[in-house]
Amino acid sequence: MMNNHGKIFGTTSMGERGQVVIPSEAREELGIKAGEKFVVFGDAKRGTVILVKSEIMNKFANFFFYKSKRFEKIAKEIFDKTKDSDEEDEDEEDR
């Protein structure tokens, strides 16, 4: 079954030790290997658990930090221009 959010691969259950088996079709199609690391998200109100491959989260984090550094540079340029403009206004007021 397909929807806009992905594919439903079946059902699973949690064992006594808290382990959940990911269905083989999902592992094959999503390229999940033994030992793969995941970031676990959850929403208690909705009763949902979401697993995201750690490598995907690392890519997102790298992208975010790259963009944030770029944003900081742009913000500094704007701040510096505003600061220079404010200093020019002060100089004019002193005259």
Side-chain angles (χ1 to χ4, degrees):
M1 179 176 172
M2 288 290 288
N3 59 34
N4 292 336
H5 303 289
K7 181 176 181 178
I8 296 173
F9 290 102
T11 62
T12 190
S13 60
M14 185 172 68
E16 290 181 24
R17 294 177 45 202
Q19 296 174 320
V20 176
V21 175
I22 298 171
S24 61
E25 182 184 357
R27 293 192 313 265
E28 291 169 11
E29 193 167 316
L30 301 173
I32 298 171
K33 307 287 186 232
E36 186 111 35
K37 301 285 183 192
F38 295 89
V39 176
V40 181
F41 295 92
D43 185 326
K45 283 185 178 180
R46 293 185 177 136
T48 58
V49 175
I50 299 171
L51 303 176
V52 178
K53 288 183 176 183
S54 292
E55 69 184 57
I56 300 300
M57 293 306 296
N58 288 338
K59 288 178 184 177
F60 172 77
N62 289 338
F63 173 79
F64 176 78
F65 288 123
Y66 168 76
K67 292 295 184 182
S68 68
K69 285 181 181 179
R70 188 168 171 216
F71 174 76
E72 286 175 16
K73 180 181 175 187
I74 293 169
K76 183 180 180 324
E77 290 172 3
I78 293 170
F79 177 76
D80 289 345
K81 286 179 184 177
T82 304
K83 186 177 170 187
D84 292 343
S85 176
D86 289 345
E87 288 173 0
E88 289 174 10
D89 291 344
E90 288 175 7
D91 289 344
E92 289 179 14
E93 290 175 6
D94 291 340
R95 290 184 197 161

